[in-house]
Amino acid sequence: MKKLNTNSNVYIIIYSTLLVIIVAFLLAFVFQSLKPAQDANVALDQKKQILNSLNLRGLDGQEAEAKYGEVVLGEKKADGQTYYECKIDGKQKYVFPLKGMGLWGGISGFVAVDDDLNTVYGAYFNHESETAGLGAEIKDSREWQERFKGKKIFSADGNLAIGVVKKVEQPESQVDAVTGATLTSNGVNDMLREGLEQYIKAIKKK
């Protein structure tokens, strides 16, 4: 019998090909096996973010699932945009998902609004890759997020008023920008103003 030449090019190519196929199969198997758990974790994380915007923070997985089922009445659509109708202490709240751009990547958030569609009840912001200690503060600083509580979205004459600015001149509707993170703060400002106005106008049309 002819001895297999393990140093030949043919052997190396066949061996490498089989190895790649086996590894690819194993990775695909592991990915498919873990996907349900990953999807569940993503869904739970979103529920926690929504609850954070409703000032219901620090809940573990089971607590978050239970509280979400209690306060979130359901998903609604207005002009194709999804939002959440909620009830806290018997009072109607709306939670609006928002997306925008920061300095290094996407930013997002959930903003809860009272049933007057003008007063912010709470807010939670997230980011993909902002600078730690600067732009990342939109997520990491609970104190900064809580500054949005009670802010008015529209002025008394109906103009869009809410904003994130370097110098607050209208404290009833504006929040100080994050120090040293101008572009990220501008991204949050644009995301808030454009997103909230679109949602609220769409709901009022219904």
Side-chain angles (χ1 to χ4, degrees):
M1 175 180 286
K2 186 177 179 180
K3 187 178 180 180
L4 184 63
N5 183 3
T6 58
N7 293 319
S8 70
N9 290 335
V10 173
Y11 175 85
I12 294 172
I13 291 171
I14 293 174
Y15 179 83
S16 300
T17 301
L18 288 174
L19 187 62
V20 169
I21 291 172
I22 292 170
V23 171
F25 173 80
L26 291 174
L27 288 174
F29 176 77
V30 170
F31 174 78
Q32 289 299 323
S33 298
L34 295 178
K35 193 172 187 305
Q38 291 172 338
D39 290 344
N41 287 336
V42 169
L44 177 60
D45 182 62
Q46 177 169 302
K47 290 177 181 178
K48 285 184 175 181
Q49 292 186 42
I50 291 170
L51 292 173
N52 285 343
S53 75
L54 291 164
N55 306 313
L56 299 168
R57 297 172 180 255
L59 304 177
D60 64 26
Q62 288 185 333
E63 292 171 337
E65 290 283 6
K67 183 60 71 173
Y68 186 89
E70 175 188 333
V71 303
V72 179
L73 305 180
E75 295 182 14
K76 301 290 183 179
K77 284 189 179 293
D79 284 354
Q81 298 186 94
T82 299
Y83 65 96
Y84 302 85
E85 283 192 353
C86 309
K87 188 160 286 190
I88 301 288
D89 297 330
K91 297 180 180 179
Q92 178 89 23
K93 309 293 177 188
Y94 300 90
V95 175
F96 302 120
L98 305 174
K99 289 188 180 296
M101 283 299 298
L103 174 59
W104 301 114
I107 56 176
S108 59
F110 290 94
V111 175
V113 176
D114 287 340
D115 59 359
D116 64 357
L117 290 173
N118 190 40
T119 306
V120 175
Y121 180 74
Y124 177 81
F125 302 107
N126 205 345
H127 65 87
E128 294 177 4
S129 54
E130 296 307 291
T131 306
L134 297 175
E137 288 296 288
I138 67 170
K139 175 185 177 182
D140 299 337
S141 175
R142 176 174 174 174
E143 187 273 333
W144 189 77
Q145 294 175 6
E146 290 182 342
R147 293 181 190 178
F148 289 87
K149 290 182 184 179
K151 298 300 181 183
K152 297 299 181 182
I153 300 170
F154 299 96
S155 62
D157 56 8
N159 291 321
L160 188 63
I162 193 167
V164 178
V165 296
K166 286 185 177 181
K167 183 179 179 181
V168 172
E169 296 179 345
Q170 299 173 351
E172 69 280 358
S173 58
Q174 295 176 339
V175 170
D176 285 306
V178 176
T179 303
T182 301
L183 292 179
T184 303
S185 297
N186 289 344
V188 175
N189 178 71
D190 295 341
M191 179 175 71
L192 278 171
R193 291 175 63 84
E194 294 170 11
L196 291 177
E197 184 176 40
Q198 289 176 9
Y199 277 113
I200 292 169
K201 282 185 175 180
I203 292 173
K204 288 183 176 180
K205 284 181 185 176
K206 294 175 66 177

